[in-house]
Amino acid sequence: MTRDEAWKALALHPDPTLAELFAEDPQRVEKLSSRIELGETGIRFDWSKTHLTDELLADFEALAEAADFDEMRRRLFAGEVVNPTENRAAEHSALRGVGREASVEEAEALRQRMMLLVNAIHDGALGEVKHLIHVGIGGSALGPALAVDALGRDDPLVDVHVVSNVDGVALEEAFEACDPRTTLIAVASKTFTTIETMTNARSALKWLADNGVDDPTGRVIALTASPEKAVEWGVDETRILPFSESVGGRYSLWSSIGFPVALGIGWEGFEQMLDGAARIDQHFRDVDGRDNLPLRAAFSDLYYLRLRGCQTRAVFAYDERLRLLPGYLQQLEMESNGKRVTVDGEPSGPTAPITWGGVGTDAQHAVFQLLHQGTHLVPIDFIASIEPGDMLDAAHHHILLTNCFAQGAALMAGQSSDDPHRSYPGNRPSATILVDDLDPETFGALIAFHEHRVFAAAVMLDINPFDQFGVELGKAIAKKIEGGGERFDPSTEALLKEAGVG
Ligand code: F6P
């Protein structure tokens, strides 16, 4: 069967409502909810409130087969080229110990080097270190910011500030919160050329110098796949933590880009995060068909994207510690799968939906009106933890969880009324990811689950999830404006003139 034939078969399915699907199949929850065990804890993935059926799953399995999913997955873990436009492998799983042997060994050696530096800093080798300003952008910032915010709230070993925007307001805010005498600067950039990061890095060094720090460059830790550029920039080799070129920016949290996580929560916590991700790698590598949970989630994503025309998907974390997760997933999903041509360069049908979302319960009082009664169909992921993250009265967490589950139930059930303004159509899909407890291990697993979900969708869509040429044109034009001497369209010219830049 070809991909086209598989899509045609998928398009022939009837559209029963969620209520009908539950009524027809008493086993539905068992069939579409699975747990992944992670040592002491685990994660439940409940896809039963989506429109997936046994028949749809079978046809999606046929699509995966037509897309040569097993072979593409083998190539991913074998460290073979899966990013053909850049002729690269994508070896983020090797950073977690799952992948090509030589890459796993190389990653292990680099991790040892990182561990020694992290532990030395904790032991005072660089003097008293109370703060870390981590400058980086995109994949060099979103993962560390999310992980530190999620895992490093209680008594962090070092107070971490992740600064990404070139808008100086962001860096000034970090300066306000840090004492220059006890601050290290992490410069995180795969390429070590990104203008925002290098501008922030220079200003951070100036801030140290202006505040009496003798050797500002001696306070820099470079996290990069281009160590030679960091050396040129003046960083001593002992404070450069390299990672492999075959690790993509948005997949790099597990490399030295995760340095602020290790510094903030400690080495053990960082390793637990990798272990949790590795557990998902093994699951994704070894389990076939619909029981493979990232693949199952990708089936659902493609169902809503291609067969129900959903242009967006929303993620609501019912956990304050995961408030940065939607932003992280936006880069992971939209930079990976926001493509318009297939691997062979042919026009593609719809690819990544727009990922958006927020934190529950806040979002209920802001955007859920549209989700319940608006005209868009938006598949939703709810994410929550059974154990609370707070020490307050148990009522807080109880209300949080009941609201989370109530939203999924309400979206699905709806409610009819003679008054159209007060009626809810229902039949609106959601999935729920419920972790026993949000700790480094479950956190790592959660992120790796999404990485593989994105890859699985890309394989079935026949697109390359590992390049991002779409971000280049704007950068090139900004450079030309900086360089001067070039003319642009009248609107841009007028704006440049008015603002006095360019
Ligand atoms: O803007 C695109 C991008 O290349 C992202 O993919 C990447 O995460 C980010 O820029 C930062 O790049 P670097 O780590 O090389 O500074």
Side-chain angles (χ1 to χ4, degrees), residues 49 78 128 136 152 154 167 175 187 189 198 257 281 330 434 454:
K49 290 198 203 74
E128 190 183 17
D154 301 330
D167 183 342
F175 294 161
V187 181
S189 174
M198 302 323 292
I257 294 293
D281 290 330
Q330 279 180 329
L434 189 59
V454 165

Side-chain angles (χ1 to χ4, degrees), residues 137-140 188-191 194 249-250 331 335 468 471 475:
I137 199 162
S140 294
S189 174
K190 180 175 175 182
T191 53
T194 304
R250 56 193 172 274
Q331 190 207 19
E335 194 165 84
Q468 59 283 320
V471 301
K475 286 187 203 172

